[in-house]
Amino acid sequence: MKSERHPILYLSKGFDEKMARYFASGRKKIMAVSPSDNFTLLLRFDNGVSRRFDMKPIIKPETVFAFLGEDANFQRVYLDECNCVAWDIDPTVDSQVVYNNKVDLSPDTCYVDSVPI
């Protein structure tokens, strides 16, 4: 069983309160991801919790996520080898060979910035 740390440790390292509480309770691993309506993701974590992550605030022009504004691109979401939520910019290119062909979101961000469902 993991020992729970106190959020003050993480606050002292510069984390905001929301992220400090998350790290104090122990990091979570994404077990499954699927695209949903209106540019949201359904996520299932190793603690049994399912959450919804709204991508609309980060899909902005002139950012690395801009290409996800096209539904066909958004639908190609997958979990990479590090259990990060990921998309290949060009699906015909191997992102394990061409590292800058992939954009991803960490499991930590996905958990903290999502809502339970």
Side-chain angles (χ1 to χ4, degrees):
M1 181 165 183
K2 294 180 188 176
S3 64
E4 189 164 317
R5 296 182 181 177
H6 200 282
I8 290 175
L9 170 69
Y10 297 98
L11 290 169
S12 71
K13 295 179 183 274
F15 289 90
D16 67 22
E17 187 175 333
K18 197 173 175 183
M19 196 60 85
R21 278 184 282 136
Y22 165 79
F23 277 105
S25 69
R27 297 178 77 185
K28 304 343 178 246
K29 180 178 178 183
I30 301 173
M31 304 305 292
V33 62
S34 59
S36 190
D37 296 335
N38 205 18
F39 298 98
T40 60
L41 299 171
L42 301 178
L43 305 163
R44 187 172 45 82
F45 291 85
D46 62 344
N47 62 350
V49 172
S50 292
R51 298 178 71 89
R52 182 180 309 276
F53 185 86
D54 185 358
M55 289 287 296
K56 289 183 297 299
I58 63 174
I59 300 174
K60 297 192 186 281
E62 300 180 26
T63 69
V64 296
F65 295 105
F67 80 103
L68 296 176
E70 292 182 30
D71 191 57
N73 292 336
F74 184 77
Q75 296 294 320
R76 293 196 323 262
V77 65
Y78 65 95
L79 289 180
D80 70 8
E81 64 280 356
C82 299
N83 289 84
C84 293
V85 172
W87 293 266
D88 294 327
I89 296 167
D90 180 344
T92 65
V93 174
D94 184 348
S95 291
Q96 290 188 330
V97 175
V98 181
Y99 76 93
N100 62 352
N101 185 55
K102 179 173 78 173
V103 297
D104 60 18
L105 298 168
S106 76
D108 307 324
T109 297
C110 288
Y111 197 90
V112 170
D113 293 340
S114 61
V115 294
I117 53 173

